[in-house]
Amino acid sequence: MSTPVLTPDASVLLDGAQLTPARGSTLTLDRGAVPYASASVVLPLLPADILGSLDPRSGVRCPLTFGGRAFDLGLRQRTVDHRAKTVTLTLASDEAILIKYKPLTEDATPFTLAHSIRAIVQHVLAQAVPDAVLAPGPDADVTPRWPATNLLRNPALAGNVNNWTAGGGCTISYVAQGSSGYVRAAMTGANGAVFMVDTTKYDLNASPEATYNASVKARCEVPYRAGETARLVLRFLDNNNAPINSVFGPPVQMQSGEYRTLTVSARAPANAAKVAPYISINGSTLGRVIVLDAGLLYEGDPRFPVEPFTGGDLGDDEYTYAFEGDPDDSPSVRTPVGDPGDPYAFVWDAGESGWDFLLPLVTSVGMVLWCDEARLWHLDLPEARSIPDQINVAASTASEGEDTLTADDENVWVTGIIVMFKWTRNGTSYERADVAGTPGSVRTVELNRPYVPGIAQAMLFRLVGTGRTQSVRVLARSTATPGMVAQISLPGAPDTLGQVAAVRWDLAEMLMDLETTGLIDIAPGDWLDMNGTTDWADVDPDLDWEDA
């Protein structure tokens, strides 16, 4: 009777040739690592033409096969050892590309896609890994909420046209409409202006070099007149109410019965003290009427638009509204409900890697992003990485084993998480903490980026465990994958059931190292011990749970 000899069957495809990895070659799948798949392949010194083609800067792929399983990995580094006459190739799945890719300019497009975390991921992948394919999966709305102040003192025109002023070429009056109303500007000539501020006081203060954004809805009364346009203007004044400059928004053709939105954004001059928004009407004529409603003026980044609101609006599950002072005669304040995010977290900064940009956003909704060995990207919940297959390890098949129970490894056991966000904007430093869990074994993580809520809770969910891990070396099984169930029986330790966290194959020796986590002990005769031969439905219903 003879014992079968296991022979290595791993190979890597280089320049059309299948080459066999030498001693020291390894292949790893690790769901706790980035990249998820990696390999170190040692080969005899290669011919000059093949060696010359192995340039990791040109996106070379090095397909690797092992036990009939394919691993499509990219070349990240090649090292030639002339003394040992070997070449070592460092390979990785495509997260390595995303980690290295950094844009040269700021990209605010992700903010416009915040209704879908999948859309944001697809946008970034399209820039960094153009041929990436994202597998179907769950989605989440990650739209941020942030405070805003409507500086206008009567934006809803509640019963009057107070704080609105005719600037010439027209007269204005109030028209009731429901609980509020609108401004009716009757033209006395071809051109006119309506200020959204009381020009006898000019009481809208401005901060020097701050950015201001204004909007208003406008339409003409019938009939339609071709060439009749309106535009929104921001006029900045000094402390003495003397005009400094005016910035004009784009002209908009007026439509009868249909509101058009006028907008303008401008940065205040260094000596600005006040701002006066007004509507400039052109191409009209005596007797024509322009209707204005829903005025808005706020300080902030124009890339993050604010919908018109007043302090009298009803709140909802996203925002509450209030006046700073007297109703309909003071600025209106919009306050987010709950723990809001920061819209700047959705701006992909120049020089920031795609991975660093996406990781906080993905983690904040409890998801994970990874690329498998077949170059298929996944955005999913952590539990989706579980695989309905099992590996059984016994002393007879294991050459080495280690069972560790620790209270000090924060990667396998914590009671709490603190994520400390630190960032700088316009020369001002900000710092904010996101906290989850209970005091005790607490892990602190620092992120140099704007605040995103929910990350601490998501990290805690993924890190909480028993503090126990097992690692074993067994005969190689090419189908082994992180997420599989692992049942392990080692001498001197109770039988355990857990989940494979990482697999590391020795490609030359036909052995593999398994790292397992989430371990629980199996008592002889309980249901877990019978699992595989006995269904839960077959267990005696009269047994107590702890005895089952």
Side-chain angles (χ1 to χ4, degrees), residues 122-180:
Q122 287 176 319
H123 171 75
V124 173
L125 288 179
Q127 315 305 312
V129 194
D131 55 348
V133 176
L134 183 62
D139 203 353
D141 188 334
V142 289
T143 302
R145 303 185 307 277
W146 66 99
T149 299
N150 188 348
L151 300 172
L152 299 182
R153 294 179 175 274
N154 186 18
L157 297 150
N160 54 62
V161 291
N162 292 348
N163 297 296
W164 292 65
T165 309
C170 66
T171 60
I172 63 172
S173 59
Y174 169 79
V175 178
Q177 180 176 279
S179 60
S180 59

Coordinates of all heavy atoms in Angstrom, one line a residue, residues 122-180:
Q122 N -19.2 53.6 -7.7 CA -19.1 53.4 -9.2 C -18.4 54.6 -9.8 O -17.6 54.4 -10.7 CB -20.4 53.1 -9.8 CG -21.0 51.8 -9.5 CD -22.4 51.5 -10.0 OE1 -23.2 52.4 -10.0 NE2 -22.6 50.3 -10.6
H123 N -18.7 55.8 -9.3 CA -18.0 57.0 -9.9 C -16.5 57.0 -9.6 O -15.7 57.2 -10.5 CB -18.6 58.2 -9.3 CG -17.9 59.5 -9.6 ND1 -18.0 60.1 -10.8 CD2 -17.0 60.3 -8.8 CE1 -17.2 61.2 -10.8 NE2 -16.6 61.3 -9.6
V124 N -16.1 56.6 -8.4 CA -14.7 56.6 -8.1 C -14.0 55.4 -8.8 O -12.9 55.6 -9.4 CB -14.5 56.4 -6.5 CG1 -13.1 56.2 -6.2 CG2 -15.1 57.7 -5.8
L125 N -14.6 54.3 -8.9 CA -14.0 53.2 -9.6 C -13.9 53.5 -11.1 O -12.9 53.1 -11.7 CB -14.9 51.9 -9.5 CG -14.9 51.2 -8.1 CD1 -15.8 50.0 -8.1 CD2 -13.5 50.8 -7.7
A126 N -14.8 54.2 -11.7 CA -14.7 54.6 -13.1 C -13.5 55.4 -13.3 O -12.9 55.4 -14.4 CB -15.9 55.3 -13.5
Q127 N -13.0 56.2 -12.3 CA -11.9 57.1 -12.5 C -10.6 56.3 -12.3 O -9.6 56.4 -13.0 CB -11.9 58.3 -11.5 CG -13.2 59.0 -11.4 CD -13.7 59.5 -12.7 OE1 -13.0 60.1 -13.5 NE2 -15.0 59.3 -13.0
A128 N -10.6 55.4 -11.2 CA -9.4 54.7 -10.8 C -9.2 53.4 -11.5 O -8.0 53.1 -11.8 CB -9.4 54.5 -9.3
V129 N -10.2 52.7 -11.7 CA -10.1 51.3 -12.3 C -11.2 51.3 -13.4 O -12.3 50.7 -13.2 CB -10.4 50.2 -11.3 CG1 -9.9 48.9 -11.8 CG2 -9.6 50.5 -10.0
P130 N -10.9 51.8 -14.6 CA -12.0 52.0 -15.6 C -12.7 50.7 -16.0 O -13.9 50.8 -16.4 CB -11.2 52.6 -16.8 CG -10.0 53.3 -16.1 CD -9.6 52.4 -15.0
D131 N -12.0 49.6 -15.9 CA -12.7 48.4 -16.3 C -13.3 47.6 -15.2 O -13.7 46.4 -15.3 CB -11.7 47.4 -17.1 CG -10.5 47.1 -16.3 OD1 -10.2 47.8 -15.3 OD2 -9.7 46.2 -16.7
A132 N -13.4 48.3 -14.0 CA -14.0 47.6 -12.8 C -15.5 47.3 -13.0 O -16.2 48.0 -13.7 CB -13.8 48.5 -11.6
V133 N -15.9 46.1 -12.5 CA -17.3 45.7 -12.5 C -17.7 45.6 -11.0 O -17.1 44.9 -10.3 CB -17.5 44.4 -13.2 CG1 -18.9 43.9 -13.2 CG2 -17.0 44.6 -14.7
L134 N -18.8 46.3 -10.7 CA -19.4 46.2 -9.3 C -20.5 45.2 -9.3 O -21.5 45.4 -10.0 CB -19.8 47.6 -8.8 CG -20.3 47.7 -7.4 CD1 -19.2 47.3 -6.4 CD2 -20.8 49.1 -7.1
A135 N -20.5 44.2 -8.5 CA -21.5 43.2 -8.4 C -22.8 43.8 -7.8 O -22.7 44.8 -7.0 CB -21.1 42.0 -7.5
P136 N -24.0 43.3 -8.2 CA -25.2 43.8 -7.6 C -25.2 43.6 -6.1 O -24.6 42.7 -5.6 CB -26.3 43.0 -8.3 CG -25.7 42.5 -9.5 CD -24.2 42.3 -9.2
G137 N -25.9 44.5 -5.4 CA -25.9 44.4 -3.9 C -26.8 45.5 -3.3 O -27.4 46.2 -4.0
P138 N -26.8 45.6 -2.0 CA -27.6 46.6 -1.3 C -27.1 48.0 -1.6 O -26.0 48.2 -2.0 CB -27.5 46.2 0.1 CG -26.2 45.5 0.2 CD -26.0 44.7 -1.1
D139 N -28.0 49.0 -1.3 CA -27.6 50.4 -1.5 C -28.0 51.1 -0.2 O -28.7 50.6 0.7 CB -28.3 50.9 -2.7 CG -27.6 52.2 -3.3 OD1 -26.6 52.6 -2.7 OD2 -28.0 52.6 -4.4
A140 N -27.5 52.4 -0.1 CA -27.9 53.2 1.0 C -27.8 54.7 0.6 O -27.0 55.0 -0.2 CB -27.0 52.9 2.2
D141 N -28.7 55.4 1.2 CA -28.7 56.9 1.0 C -27.8 57.5 2.1 O -28.0 57.3 3.3 CB -30.1 57.4 1.2 CG -30.2 58.9 0.8 OD1 -29.2 59.6 0.9 OD2 -31.3 59.4 0.5
V142 N -26.7 58.2 1.6 CA -25.8 58.8 2.6 C -25.8 60.3 2.5 O -24.8 61.0 2.8 CB -24.3 58.3 2.3 CG1 -24.2 56.8 2.7 CG2 -24.0 58.5 0.8
T143 N -26.9 60.9 2.0 CA -27.0 62.3 1.9 C -26.8 63.0 3.2 O -27.4 62.7 4.2 CB -28.4 62.7 1.4 OG1 -28.7 62.1 0.2 CG2 -28.6 64.2 1.2
P144 N -25.8 64.0 3.2 CA -25.5 64.7 4.5 C -26.6 65.7 4.8 O -27.3 66.2 3.9 CB -24.1 65.3 4.2 CG -24.2 65.6 2.7 CD -24.9 64.4 2.1
R145 N -26.6 66.1 6.0 CA -27.5 67.2 6.5 C -26.6 68.2 7.2 O -25.8 67.8 8.0 CB -28.6 66.7 7.4 CG -29.5 65.6 6.8 CD -30.7 65.2 7.7 NE -30.2 64.9 9.0 CZ -29.8 63.7 9.4 NH1 -29.7 62.8 8.5 NH2 -29.4 63.5 10.6
W146 N -26.8 69.5 6.9 CA -26.0 70.5 7.6 C -26.8 71.8 7.8 O -27.8 72.0 7.2 CB -24.8 70.8 6.7 CG -25.1 71.5 5.4 CD1 -25.0 72.8 5.1 CD2 -25.6 70.8 4.2 NE1 -25.4 73.0 3.8 CE2 -25.7 71.9 3.2 CE3 -25.8 69.5 3.8 CZ2 -26.1 71.6 1.9 CZ3 -26.3 69.3 2.5 CH2 -26.4 70.3 1.6
P147 N -26.4 72.5 8.8 CA -27.2 73.7 9.2 C -27.0 74.8 8.1 O -26.0 74.9 7.4 CB -26.5 74.2 10.5 CG -25.2 73.6 10.5 CD -25.3 72.3 9.7
A148 N -28.0 75.7 8.1 CA -28.0 76.8 7.2 C -28.8 78.0 7.7 O -29.8 77.7 8.5 CB -28.5 76.4 5.8
T149 N -28.5 79.2 7.3 CA -29.2 80.4 7.8 C -29.7 81.2 6.5 O -28.8 81.5 5.7 CB -28.4 81.3 8.7 OG1 -28.0 80.5 9.9 CG2 -29.2 82.5 9.1
N150 N -31.0 81.4 6.4 CA -31.5 82.2 5.3 C -31.5 83.7 5.9 O -32.2 84.0 6.8 CB -32.9 81.8 5.0 CG -33.4 82.6 3.7 OD1 -32.8 83.6 3.3 ND2 -34.6 82.2 3.2
L151 N -30.6 84.5 5.4 CA -30.3 85.8 5.9 C -31.5 86.8 5.6 O -31.6 87.8 6.3 CB -29.0 86.4 5.4 CG -27.8 85.5 5.7 CD1 -26.5 86.1 5.0 CD2 -27.5 85.5 7.2
L152 N -32.3 86.5 4.6 CA -33.4 87.4 4.3 C -34.4 87.4 5.4 O -34.7 86.4 6.1 CB -34.1 86.9 3.0 CG -33.3 86.8 1.7 CD1 -34.1 86.4 0.6 CD2 -32.6 88.2 1.4
R153 N -34.9 88.6 5.7 CA -35.8 88.8 6.8 C -37.3 88.6 6.6 O -38.0 88.6 7.5 CB -35.6 90.3 7.4 CG -34.1 90.5 7.9 CD -33.9 91.9 8.4 NE -32.6 92.0 9.1 CZ -32.3 91.7 10.3 NH1 -33.3 91.2 11.1 NH2 -31.1 91.8 10.8
N154 N -37.7 88.4 5.3 CA -39.1 88.1 5.1 C -39.1 87.3 3.8 O -39.8 87.7 2.8 CB -39.9 89.4 4.9 CG -41.4 89.1 4.8 OD1 -41.9 88.1 5.1 ND2 -42.1 90.2 4.3
P155 N -38.5 86.1 3.7 CA -38.4 85.4 2.4 C -39.7 84.8 2.0 O -39.9 84.6 0.8 CB -37.4 84.3 2.8 CG -37.5 84.1 4.2 CD -37.8 85.5 4.8
A156 N -40.6 84.6 2.9 CA -41.9 83.9 2.6 C -43.0 85.0 2.3 O -44.1 84.6 1.9 CB -42.4 83.0 3.7
L157 N -42.6 86.3 2.4 CA -43.6 87.3 2.2 C -44.9 87.1 3.0 O -46.0 86.9 2.4 CB -43.9 87.5 0.7 CG -42.6 87.9 -0.1 CD1 -42.7 87.3 -1.5 CD2 -42.5 89.4 -0.1
A158 N -44.7 87.0 4.3 CA -45.8 86.7 5.2 C -46.7 87.9 5.4 O -46.5 88.7 6.4 CB -45.3 86.1 6.5
G159 N -47.6 88.2 4.6 CA -48.6 89.2 4.8 C -48.2 90.6 4.3 O -49.0 91.6 4.4
N160 N -47.0 90.8 3.9 CA -46.5 92.1 3.5 C -45.3 92.0 2.6 O -44.7 90.9 2.4 CB -46.3 93.0 4.7 CG -45.3 92.3 5.7 OD1 -44.2 92.1 5.3 ND2 -45.8 92.1 6.9
V161 N -44.8 93.2 2.1 CA -43.5 93.2 1.4 C -42.4 93.9 2.2 O -41.5 94.4 1.7 CB -43.7 93.9 0.0 CG1 -44.6 93.1 -0.9 CG2 -44.3 95.3 0.2
N162 N -42.6 93.8 3.5 CA -41.5 94.3 4.4 C -40.2 93.7 4.0 O -40.1 92.5 3.8 CB -41.8 94.1 5.9 CG -43.0 94.9 6.3 OD1 -43.5 95.8 5.6 ND2 -43.6 94.6 7.5
N163 N -39.1 94.5 4.1 CA -37.8 94.1 3.8 C -37.6 93.7 2.3 O -36.6 93.1 1.9 CB -37.4 92.9 4.6 CG -37.3 93.2 6.1 OD1 -36.5 94.1 6.5 ND2 -38.2 92.6 6.9
W164 N -38.5 94.1 1.4 CA -38.3 94.1 0.0 C -38.5 95.5 -0.5 O -39.4 96.3 0.1 CB -39.4 93.2 -0.7 CG -39.2 91.7 -0.4 CD1 -39.3 91.1 0.8 CD2 -38.9 90.7 -1.3 NE1 -39.1 89.8 0.7 CE2 -38.8 89.5 -0.6 CE3 -38.6 90.7 -2.7 CZ2 -38.5 88.3 -1.2 CZ3 -38.3 89.5 -3.3 CH2 -38.3 88.3 -2.6
T165 N -37.8 96.0 -1.5 CA -37.8 97.4 -1.9 C -37.8 97.5 -3.4 O -37.0 96.8 -4.1 CB -36.6 98.2 -1.4 OG1 -36.5 97.9 0.1 CG2 -36.8 99.6 -1.6
A166 N -38.7 98.3 -4.0 CA -38.6 98.6 -5.4 C -37.4 99.5 -5.7 O -37.3 100.6 -5.0 CB -39.9 99.3 -5.9
G167 N -36.5 99.1 -6.6 CA -35.3 99.8 -6.8 C -35.4 100.8 -8.0 O -34.3 101.3 -8.5
G168 N -36.5 101.0 -8.6 CA -36.7 101.8 -9.8 C -37.2 101.0 -11.0 O -36.9 99.8 -11.1
G169 N -37.9 101.7 -11.8 CA -38.5 101.0 -13.0 C -39.7 100.2 -12.8 O -40.2 99.5 -13.7
C170 N -40.1 100.1 -11.5 CA -41.3 99.3 -11.2 C -41.9 99.7 -9.8 O -41.2 100.4 -9.0 CB -41.0 97.8 -11.2 SG -39.8 97.3 -9.9
T171 N -43.0 99.3 -9.5 CA -43.6 99.4 -8.2 C -43.9 98.0 -7.7 O -44.1 97.0 -8.5 CB -44.9 100.2 -8.2 OG1 -45.9 99.6 -9.0 CG2 -44.6 101.6 -8.7
I172 N -43.9 97.7 -6.4 CA -44.2 96.4 -5.9 C -45.4 96.4 -4.9 O -45.7 97.4 -4.3 CB -42.9 95.8 -5.2 CG1 -42.6 96.6 -3.9 CG2 -41.8 95.7 -6.1 CD1 -41.5 95.9 -3.1
S173 N -46.1 95.3 -4.9 CA -47.2 95.1 -4.0 C -47.2 93.6 -3.5 O -46.6 92.8 -4.1 CB -48.5 95.5 -4.7 OG -48.7 94.7 -5.8
Y174 N -48.0 93.4 -2.5 CA -48.1 92.1 -1.9 C -49.4 91.4 -2.4 O -50.5 92.0 -2.5 CB -48.1 92.1 -0.4 CG -48.5 90.9 0.3 CD1 -47.6 89.8 0.5 CD2 -49.8 90.7 0.8 CE1 -47.9 88.7 1.1 CE2 -50.1 89.5 1.5 CZ -49.2 88.5 1.6 OH -49.5 87.3 2.2
V175 N -49.3 90.1 -2.7 CA -50.4 89.3 -3.1 C -50.5 88.1 -2.2 O -49.5 87.3 -2.2 CB -50.4 88.9 -4.6 CG1 -51.6 88.0 -5.0 CG2 -50.3 90.1 -5.5
A176 N -51.6 87.9 -1.5 CA -51.7 86.8 -0.6 C -51.8 85.5 -1.4 O -52.5 85.4 -2.4 CB -52.9 87.0 0.3
Q177 N -51.2 84.4 -0.8 CA -51.3 83.1 -1.4 C -51.1 82.1 -0.3 O -50.0 81.8 0.1 CB -50.3 82.9 -2.5 CG -50.3 81.5 -3.2 CD -49.3 81.4 -4.3 OE1 -49.6 81.9 -5.4 NE2 -48.2 80.9 -4.0
G178 N -52.2 81.5 0.2 CA -52.2 80.6 1.3 C -51.7 81.3 2.5 O -52.2 82.4 2.9
S179 N -50.8 80.7 3.3 CA -50.3 81.3 4.5 C -49.2 82.3 4.3 O -48.8 83.0 5.2 CB -49.7 80.2 5.4 OG -48.6 79.5 4.7
S180 N -48.8 82.5 3.0 CA -47.8 83.5 2.7 C -48.3 84.3 1.5 O -49.4 84.6 1.3 CB -46.4 82.8 2.5 OG -46.5 81.9 1.4

